[in-house]
Amino acid sequence: LRDIADRYAGRTTVVAVHGGAGRAGTAGLLGWPPEVATTLGVLDNCHWTDLRFDDLRGWRLGAHNVPTC
């Protein structure tokens, strides 16, 4: 996810992943250690995570495991 974030910096980007990979990628962007990453739930089927980059605070988790409808 970091490579994609770097490539498309400043743009809205959608990345489709499986639940566990989504959790691991989210935790990685947020800089969370592995033991903290497991506290974040695995993404359910067809759910999404909102990650936003702020120049002052870095990556922020806006929402996680949100259903599409």
Coordinates of all heavy atoms in Angstrom, one line a residue:
L1 N 0.8 -1.2 0.0 CA 0.0 0.0 0.0 C 0.9 1.3 0.0 O 0.5 2.3 -0.6 CB -0.9 0.0 1.2 CG -2.1 -1.0 1.2 CD1 -2.9 -0.8 2.5 CD2 -3.0 -0.8 0.0
R2 N 2.0 1.2 0.7 CA 2.9 2.4 0.7 C 3.3 2.8 -0.7 O 3.4 3.9 -1.0 CB 4.0 2.2 1.6 CG 4.8 3.5 1.9 CD 5.8 3.4 3.0 NE 5.2 2.9 4.3 CZ 4.5 3.7 5.1 NH1 4.3 5.0 4.8 NH2 4.1 3.3 6.2
D3 N 3.7 1.8 -1.5 CA 4.1 2.1 -2.9 C 3.0 2.7 -3.7 O 3.2 3.7 -4.4 CB 4.5 0.8 -3.6 CG 5.8 0.2 -3.1 OD1 6.6 1.0 -2.4 OD2 6.1 -1.0 -3.3
I4 N 1.8 2.2 -3.5 CA 0.6 2.8 -4.2 C 0.4 4.2 -3.7 O 0.1 5.2 -4.5 CB -0.6 1.9 -4.1 CG1 -0.4 0.6 -4.8 CG2 -1.9 2.6 -4.6 CD1 -1.4 -0.4 -4.5
A5 N 0.4 4.4 -2.4 CA 0.2 5.7 -1.8 C 1.3 6.7 -2.3 O 0.9 7.9 -2.6 CB 0.3 5.7 -0.3
D6 N 2.5 6.3 -2.4 CA 3.6 7.2 -2.9 C 3.3 7.5 -4.4 O 3.5 8.7 -4.8 CB 4.9 6.5 -2.7 CG 5.4 6.5 -1.3 OD1 4.8 7.2 -0.4 OD2 6.3 5.7 -1.0
R7 N 3.0 6.5 -5.2 CA 2.8 6.7 -6.6 C 1.6 7.7 -6.9 O 1.7 8.5 -7.8 CB 2.5 5.4 -7.3 CG 2.3 5.6 -8.8 CD 2.1 4.3 -9.5 NE 3.3 3.6 -9.5 CZ 3.4 2.3 -9.8 NH1 2.3 1.5 -10.0 NH2 4.6 1.7 -9.8
Y8 N 0.6 7.6 -6.1 CA -0.6 8.4 -6.3 C -0.9 9.5 -5.3 O -2.0 9.8 -4.9 CB -1.9 7.5 -6.5 CG -1.7 6.6 -7.6 CD1 -1.4 5.2 -7.4 CD2 -1.9 7.0 -8.9 CE1 -1.3 4.4 -8.5 CE2 -1.8 6.1 -10.0 CZ -1.5 4.8 -9.8 OH -1.3 4.0 -10.8
A9 N 0.2 10.0 -4.7 CA 0.1 11.0 -3.6 C -0.8 12.2 -4.0 O -0.7 12.7 -5.1 CB 1.5 11.5 -3.2
G10 N -1.6 12.5 -3.1 CA -2.5 13.7 -3.3 C -3.8 13.3 -4.1 O -4.6 14.2 -4.3
R11 N -3.9 12.1 -4.5 CA -5.1 11.7 -5.3 C -5.9 10.6 -4.5 O -5.4 9.9 -3.7 CB -4.6 11.1 -6.6 CG -3.9 12.2 -7.5 CD -3.1 11.6 -8.6 NE -3.9 10.8 -9.5 CZ -3.4 10.1 -10.5 NH1 -2.1 10.2 -10.7 NH2 -4.1 9.3 -11.3
T12 N -7.2 10.6 -4.8 CA -8.0 9.5 -4.3 C -7.7 8.3 -5.0 O -7.7 8.2 -6.2 CB -9.5 9.9 -4.4 OG1 -9.7 11.1 -3.7 CG2 -10.4 8.8 -3.9
T13 N -7.5 7.2 -4.3 CA -7.1 5.9 -4.9 C -7.9 4.8 -4.2 O -8.1 4.8 -3.0 CB -5.6 5.7 -4.7 OG1 -4.9 6.8 -5.1 CG2 -5.2 4.4 -5.4
V14 N -8.4 3.9 -5.0 CA -9.1 2.7 -4.5 C -8.2 1.5 -4.8 O -7.7 1.3 -5.9 CB -10.5 2.5 -5.2 CG1 -11.1 1.2 -4.8 CG2 -11.3 3.7 -5.0
V15 N -8.0 0.7 -3.7 CA -7.2 -0.6 -3.8 C -8.1 -1.7 -3.3 O -8.6 -1.6 -2.2 CB -5.9 -0.4 -3.0 CG1 -5.1 -1.7 -3.1 CG2 -5.1 0.8 -3.4
A16 N -8.3 -2.7 -4.1 CA -9.0 -3.9 -3.7 C -8.1 -5.0 -3.1 O -7.1 -5.3 -3.7 CB -9.8 -4.5 -4.9
V17 N -8.4 -5.4 -1.9 CA -7.6 -6.4 -1.2 C -8.5 -7.4 -0.4 O -9.6 -7.1 -0.2 CB -6.6 -5.7 -0.2 CG1 -5.6 -4.8 -0.9 CG2 -7.3 -5.0 0.9
H18 N -7.9 -8.5 0.0 CA -8.6 -9.4 0.9 C -8.5 -8.9 2.3 O -7.6 -8.0 2.7 CB -7.9 -10.8 0.8 CG -8.3 -11.5 -0.5 ND1 -9.4 -12.1 -0.7 CD2 -7.6 -11.6 -1.6 CE1 -9.5 -12.6 -1.9 NE2 -8.3 -12.3 -2.5
G19 N -9.3 -9.4 3.2 CA -9.5 -8.9 4.6 C -8.2 -8.8 5.4 O -7.8 -7.7 6.0
G20 N -7.4 -9.9 5.5 CA -6.2 -9.9 6.2 C -5.1 -9.0 5.7 O -4.4 -8.3 6.4
A21 N -5.0 -8.9 4.3 CA -4.1 -8.0 3.7 C -4.5 -6.6 3.9 O -3.6 -5.7 4.1 CB -4.0 -8.3 2.2
G22 N -5.8 -6.3 3.9 CA -6.2 -4.9 4.2 C -5.8 -4.5 5.6 O -5.4 -3.4 5.8
R23 N -6.0 -5.4 6.6 CA -5.6 -5.1 7.9 C -4.1 -4.9 8.0 O -3.7 -3.9 8.6 CB -6.0 -6.2 8.9 CG -5.5 -6.0 10.3 CD -6.0 -7.0 11.3 NE -5.5 -8.3 11.0 CZ -5.9 -9.4 11.8 NH1 -6.7 -9.2 12.7 NH2 -5.4 -10.5 11.5
A24 N -3.3 -5.7 7.4 CA -1.9 -5.6 7.5 C -1.4 -4.3 6.8 O -0.5 -3.6 7.3 CB -1.2 -6.8 6.9
G25 N -2.0 -4.0 5.6 CA -1.6 -2.8 4.9 C -2.0 -1.5 5.7 O -1.2 -0.6 5.7
T26 N -3.1 -1.6 6.3 CA -3.6 -0.4 7.0 C -2.7 -0.2 8.2 O -2.2 1.0 8.5 CB -5.0 -0.6 7.6 OG1 -5.9 -0.7 6.4 CG2 -5.5 0.5 8.5
A27 N -2.4 -1.2 8.9 CA -1.5 -1.1 10.1 C -0.1 -0.6 9.7 O 0.5 0.2 10.4 CB -1.4 -2.4 10.8
G28 N 0.4 -1.1 8.5 CA 1.7 -0.7 8.0 C 1.8 0.8 7.7 O 2.7 1.4 8.1
L29 N 0.7 1.3 7.0 CA 0.7 2.7 6.7 C 0.6 3.6 8.0 O 1.2 4.6 8.0 CB -0.5 3.0 5.8 CG -0.3 2.8 4.3 CD1 -1.6 3.2 3.6 CD2 0.8 3.6 3.8
L30 N -0.1 3.1 9.0 CA -0.2 3.8 10.2 C 1.0 3.7 11.1 O 1.1 4.4 12.1 CB -1.5 3.4 10.9 CG -2.8 3.7 10.2 CD1 -4.0 3.0 10.9 CD2 -3.0 5.2 10.1
G31 N 1.9 2.8 10.8 CA 3.1 2.6 11.5 C 2.9 1.8 12.8 O 3.7 1.9 13.7
W32 N 1.9 1.0 12.8 CA 1.5 0.1 14.0 C 2.4 -1.1 14.0 O 2.6 -1.8 13.0 CB 0.1 -0.3 14.0 CG -0.9 0.8 14.1 CD1 -0.6 2.2 14.4 CD2 -2.3 0.7 14.1 NE1 -1.8 2.9 14.4 CE2 -2.9 2.0 14.3 CE3 -3.2 -0.4 13.9 CZ2 -4.2 2.2 14.3 CZ3 -4.5 -0.1 13.9 CH2 -5.1 1.2 14.1
P33 N 2.9 -1.5 15.2 CA 3.6 -2.8 15.3 C 2.7 -4.0 15.1 O 1.5 -3.8 15.3 CB 4.2 -2.7 16.7 CG 3.4 -1.8 17.5 CD 2.8 -0.8 16.5
P34 N 3.2 -5.1 14.8 CA 2.3 -6.3 14.5 C 1.4 -6.6 15.7 O 0.2 -7.0 15.4 CB 3.3 -7.4 14.3 CG 4.5 -6.8 13.8 CD 4.6 -5.4 14.5
E35 N 1.8 -6.5 16.9 CA 1.0 -6.8 18.0 C -0.2 -5.9 18.2 O -1.3 -6.2 18.7 CB 1.7 -6.9 19.4 CG 2.4 -5.7 19.8 CD 3.8 -5.5 19.2 OE1 4.2 -6.3 18.3 OE2 4.5 -4.6 19.6
V36 N -0.1 -4.7 17.7 CA -1.2 -3.7 17.7 C -2.1 -3.9 16.4 O -3.3 -3.8 16.5 CB -0.7 -2.3 17.7 CG1 -1.8 -1.3 17.6 CG2 0.1 -2.0 19.0
A37 N -1.5 -4.3 15.3 CA -2.2 -4.6 14.1 C -3.3 -5.6 14.3 O -4.4 -5.4 13.7 CB -1.3 -5.0 13.0
T38 N -3.1 -6.6 15.1 CA -4.1 -7.6 15.3 C -5.3 -7.1 16.1 O -6.4 -7.8 16.1 CB -3.5 -8.8 16.0 OG1 -3.0 -8.4 17.3 CG2 -2.5 -9.5 15.2
T39 N -5.3 -5.9 16.7 CA -6.4 -5.4 17.3 C -7.4 -4.8 16.3 O -8.6 -4.5 16.7 CB -6.1 -4.3 18.4 OG1 -5.5 -3.1 17.7 CG2 -5.1 -4.8 19.4
L40 N -7.0 -4.5 15.1 CA -7.9 -4.0 14.0 C -8.5 -5.2 13.4 O -7.9 -6.2 13.0 CB -7.0 -3.3 13.0 CG -7.7 -2.5 11.9 CD1 -8.5 -1.4 12.6 CD2 -6.7 -1.9 11.0
G41 N -9.8 -5.2 13.3 CA -10.6 -6.3 12.7 C -10.2 -6.5 11.2 O -9.8 -5.6 10.5
V42 N -10.3 -7.8 10.8 CA -10.1 -8.1 9.4 C -11.3 -7.6 8.6 O -12.5 -7.6 9.1 CB -10.0 -9.7 9.2 CG1 -10.0 -10.1 7.8 CG2 -8.8 -10.2 9.9
L43 N -11.1 -7.1 7.4 CA -12.2 -6.5 6.6 C -13.2 -7.6 6.2 O -12.8 -8.7 5.8 CB -11.6 -5.9 5.3 CG -11.0 -4.6 5.4 CD1 -10.3 -4.2 4.1 CD2 -12.0 -3.5 5.8
D44 N -14.4 -7.3 6.4 CA -15.5 -8.3 6.0 C -15.6 -8.1 4.4 O -15.1 -7.2 3.8 CB -16.8 -7.9 6.6 CG -16.8 -8.2 8.1 OD1 -16.1 -9.1 8.5 OD2 -17.6 -7.5 8.8
N45 N -16.3 -9.1 3.8 CA -16.5 -9.1 2.4 C -17.2 -7.8 1.9 O -18.2 -7.4 2.5 CB -17.4 -10.3 2.0 CG -17.2 -10.7 0.6 OD1 -16.3 -10.3 -0.1 ND2 -18.2 -11.4 0.1
C46 N -16.7 -7.2 0.9 CA -17.2 -6.0 0.3 C -17.3 -4.8 1.3 O -18.1 -3.9 1.2 CB -18.6 -6.2 -0.3 SG -18.6 -7.5 -1.6
H47 N -16.4 -4.7 2.2 CA -16.3 -3.6 3.1 C -15.0 -2.7 2.8 O -14.1 -3.2 2.1 CB -16.2 -4.1 4.6 CG -17.5 -4.5 5.1 ND1 -18.3 -5.5 4.5 CD2 -18.2 -4.2 6.2 CE1 -19.4 -5.7 5.2 NE2 -19.3 -4.9 6.3
W48 N -14.9 -1.6 3.3 CA -13.8 -0.7 3.0 C -13.2 0.0 4.2 O -13.8 0.1 5.3 CB -14.2 0.3 1.9 CG -15.4 1.1 2.2 CD1 -16.7 0.8 1.9 CD2 -15.5 2.4 2.8 NE1 -17.6 1.7 2.3 CE2 -16.8 2.8 2.8 CE3 -14.5 3.3 3.3 CZ2 -17.3 4.0 3.4 CZ3 -15.0 4.5 3.9 CH2 -16.3 4.8 3.9
T49 N -12.0 0.6 4.0 CA -11.3 1.3 5.0 C -11.0 2.7 4.4 O -10.6 2.8 3.2 CB -10.0 0.6 5.4 OG1 -10.3 -0.6 6.0 CG2 -9.2 1.5 6.4
D50 N -11.1 3.7 5.2 CA -10.8 5.1 4.8 C -9.5 5.5 5.4 O -9.4 5.7 6.6 CB -11.9 6.0 5.1 CG -11.7 7.5 4.8 OD1 -10.7 7.8 4.0 OD2 -12.4 8.4 5.3
L51 N -8.4 5.7 4.6 CA -7.1 6.2 5.1 C -6.9 7.5 4.4 O -7.0 7.6 3.2 CB -6.0 5.2 4.8 CG -6.1 3.9 5.5 CD1 -5.2 2.8 4.8 CD2 -5.6 4.1 7.0
R52 N -6.4 8.5 5.2 CA -6.2 9.8 4.6 C -4.8 10.3 5.1 O -4.4 10.1 6.3 CB -7.2 10.8 5.0 CG -8.6 10.4 4.4 CD -9.7 11.3 5.0 NE -11.0 10.8 4.5 CZ -11.7 11.4 3.6 NH1 -11.3 12.6 3.1 NH2 -12.9 10.9 3.2
F53 N -4.1 11.0 4.2 CA -2.8 11.5 4.6 C -2.9 13.0 4.9 O -3.5 13.8 4.1 CB -1.8 11.3 3.5 CG -0.4 11.7 3.9 CD1 0.4 10.9 4.7 CD2 0.1 12.9 3.5 CE1 1.7 11.3 5.1 CE2 1.4 13.3 3.9 CZ 2.2 12.5 4.7
D54 N -2.4 13.4 6.0 CA -2.4 14.8 6.4 C -0.9 15.2 6.5 O -0.1 14.6 7.1 CB -3.0 14.9 7.8 CG -3.1 16.4 8.3 OD1 -2.0 16.8 8.9 OD2 -4.1 17.0 8.1
D55 N -0.5 16.4 5.9 CA 0.9 16.8 5.9 C 1.4 17.0 7.3 O 2.6 16.9 7.5 CB 1.0 18.1 5.1 CG 0.8 17.9 3.6 OD1 1.1 16.8 3.1 OD2 0.4 18.8 2.9
L56 N 0.6 17.4 8.3 CA 1.1 17.6 9.6 C 1.1 16.4 10.5 O 2.0 16.2 11.3 CB 0.2 18.7 10.3 CG 0.3 20.1 9.7 CD1 -0.7 21.0 10.4 CD2 1.7 20.6 9.8
R57 N 0.1 15.5 10.3 CA 0.0 14.3 11.2 C 0.3 13.0 10.5 O 0.3 12.0 11.2 CB -1.5 14.3 11.8 CG -1.8 15.5 12.7 CD -3.1 15.4 13.3 NE -4.1 15.7 12.2 CZ -5.4 15.6 12.4 NH1 -5.9 15.2 13.6 NH2 -6.3 15.9 11.5
G58 N 0.5 13.0 9.2 CA 0.7 11.7 8.5 C -0.5 11.0 8.2 O -1.6 11.6 8.1
W59 N -0.5 9.7 8.2 CA -1.6 8.8 7.9 C -2.6 8.8 9.0 O -2.2 8.6 10.2 CB -1.2 7.4 7.5 CG -0.6 7.4 6.1 CD1 0.8 7.3 5.8 CD2 -1.3 7.4 4.9 NE1 0.9 7.4 4.5 CE2 -0.3 7.4 3.9 CE3 -2.6 7.5 4.6 CZ2 -0.7 7.4 2.5 CZ3 -3.0 7.5 3.2 CH2 -2.0 7.5 2.2
R60 N -3.9 8.9 8.7 CA -4.9 8.8 9.7 C -6.0 7.7 9.3 O -6.3 7.6 8.1 CB -5.7 10.1 9.9 CG -4.8 11.2 10.4 CD -5.6 12.5 10.6 NE -6.6 12.8 9.6 CZ -7.8 13.0 9.8 NH1 -8.3 13.1 11.0 NH2 -8.7 13.3 8.8
L61 N -6.5 7.0 10.2 CA -7.6 6.1 10.0 C -8.9 6.8 10.2 O -9.2 7.2 11.3 CB -7.4 4.9 10.9 CG -8.5 3.8 10.8 CD1 -8.5 3.1 9.5 CD2 -8.3 2.8 11.9
G62 N -9.6 7.0 9.1 CA -10.9 7.7 9.2 C -12.0 6.7 9.5 O -13.0 7.1 10.2
A63 N -12.0 5.5 8.9 CA -13.1 4.5 9.1 C -12.5 3.2 8.7 O -11.6 3.1 7.9 CB -14.3 4.9 8.3
H64 N -13.1 2.1 9.3 CA -12.6 0.8 9.0 C -13.8 -0.2 9.0 O -14.7 -0.1 9.9 CB -11.6 0.3 10.0 CG -11.0 -1.0 9.7 ND1 -10.2 -1.3 8.7 CD2 -11.2 -2.2 10.4 CE1 -9.9 -2.6 8.7 NE2 -10.5 -3.2 9.7
N65 N -13.8 -1.1 8.1 CA -14.8 -2.2 8.0 C -16.2 -1.6 7.7 O -17.1 -2.1 8.3 CB -14.7 -3.1 9.2 CG -15.0 -4.5 8.8 OD1 -14.9 -4.9 7.6 ND2 -15.5 -5.3 9.8
V66 N -16.3 -0.7 6.8 CA -17.5 0.0 6.5 C -18.2 -0.7 5.4 O -17.6 -1.0 4.4 CB -17.3 1.5 6.1 CG1 -18.6 2.2 5.8 CG2 -16.5 2.2 7.2
P67 N -19.5 -1.1 5.5 CA -20.2 -1.8 4.4 C -20.4 -0.8 3.3 O -20.5 0.4 3.4 CB -21.5 -2.2 5.1 CG -21.7 -1.3 6.2 CD -20.3 -0.9 6.7
T68 N -20.5 -1.4 2.1 CA -20.7 -0.6 0.9 C -22.1 0.0 0.7 O -22.3 0.9 -0.1 CB -20.4 -1.5 -0.4 OG1 -21.2 -2.6 -0.4 CG2 -18.9 -1.8 -0.4
C69 N -23.1 -0.6 1.4 CA -24.4 -0.1 1.3 C -25.1 0.1 2.6 O -24.7 -0.2 3.6 CB -25.3 -0.9 0.4 SG -25.2 -2.7 0.7

